[in-house]
Amino acid sequence: MKTGQTKGKALKMGIAGGIGSGKSYVCKLLAQRGIEVYDCDAAAKRLIRTSPDIRQQLTELIGPETYQEDRSLNKAVVARFLLESETNAKAIDAIVHPAVFRDFEESGSLWMESAIMFESGAYRYVDRVVVVTAPEEVRIQRVMQRDGISREKVLEWLQRQWPQDEVRRRADYEIVNDGQADLPSQIERLLVSLDVSK
């Protein structure tokens, strides 16, 4: 375990975890303790909708049909472009991710939640990373129940994310959310080690 404070400043913390790990639930438990966590996914959706710069760049990249008349994103057009190639996906990421990271820094938040903490480069904007983990079968069942989708679809999503073991290896702390481990006590130990327990 690493100590929680760098000299003279509070640490910035990242919370990582793949689909079905329960990362968002852990963030809700942190919020109950007065720790607000910046949600990168929600911020990306908001910025895609509201930022003139992102709107212009995505329209130039994908085409005039990128946004609909009511200025909302044409998800079908974007999804089609995204799935055409890895190059297309990276081009969209190169527009959206830097905007999200700037927004995080401007927000003043000390905690950030990202499903793709290492893949996106988000880890560079925090001092330490906590990974929320769960056995693969638990994750599959959670997502199937939550989203009402097939096992095959969940597996497809899992395969698009980094393996959990790889994220665990890179993270500084782990919270096990397998449905049996005591989450509140794990969070308490984490916050005590960071010297931010409330």
Side-chain angles (χ1 to χ4, degrees):
M1 279 293 194
K2 301 181 180 180
T3 56
Q5 301 288 323
T6 53
K7 286 186 179 179
K9 76 177 186 90
L11 288 177
K12 287 190 175 182
M13 298 294 300
I15 300 185
I19 188 171
S21 65
K23 157 179 59 66
S24 296
Y25 181 64
V26 168
C27 290
K28 286 179 183 175
L29 294 179
L30 286 167
Q32 290 172 10
R33 301 183 63 112
I35 296 172
E36 293 301 324
V37 183
Y38 179 94
D39 183 336
C40 285
D41 187 49
K45 290 173 181 172
R46 170 175 53 80
L47 290 167
I48 285 171
R49 190 176 66 252
T50 62
S51 166
D53 286 343
I54 291 180
R55 182 186 303 274
Q56 180 181 342
Q57 291 178 69
L58 287 178
T59 300
E60 289 174 356
L61 175 67
I62 302 170
E65 305 84 20
T66 306
Y67 287 87
Q68 302 182 94
E69 286 185 17
D70 64 358
R71 301 178 71 80
S72 63
L73 192 69
N74 191 330
K75 292 180 181 177
V77 168
V78 175
R80 189 164 58 245
F81 178 84
L82 192 70
L83 295 171
E84 279 176 3
S85 71
E86 186 67 23
T87 301
N88 286 0
K90 286 180 178 177
I92 291 176
D93 289 346
I95 292 169
V96 177
H97 289 167
V100 171
F101 302 150
R102 281 194 302 273
D103 191 65
F104 168 69
E105 294 200 302
E106 291 168 3
S107 74
S109 297
L110 292 176
W111 292 68
M112 167 203 286
E113 171 191 356
S114 175
I116 50 173
M117 181 69 64
F118 294 103
E119 302 98 307
S120 68
Y123 71 94
R124 297 188 183 99
Y125 295 84
V126 296
D127 299 301
R128 305 278 161 75
V129 174
V130 181
V131 62
V132 181
T133 64
E136 183 171 288
E137 188 56 37
V138 171
R139 296 170 64 195
I140 291 169
Q141 292 301 321
R142 281 177 181 162
V143 179
M144 285 175 65
Q145 290 172 18
R146 182 190 72 194
D147 297 346
I149 59 174
S150 68
R151 182 184 187 86
E152 290 70 29
K153 187 66 177 175
V154 179
L155 288 170
E156 185 183 320
W157 285 354
L158 282 171
Q159 287 165 6
R160 289 184 180 183
Q161 296 183 341
W162 275 19
Q164 184 168 259
D165 285 345
E166 176 65 15
V167 180
R168 183 191 284 122
R169 187 178 67 78
R170 291 175 180 242
D172 301 291
Y173 307 94
E174 179 180 10
I175 289 179
V176 177
N177 184 21
D178 58 3
Q180 297 180 351
D182 186 339
L183 281 177
S185 67
Q186 291 184 78
I187 290 170
E188 176 64 20
R189 285 196 300 273
L190 171 67
L191 296 181
V192 167
S193 74
L194 296 172
D195 195 27
V196 293
S197 184
K198 293 181 183 284

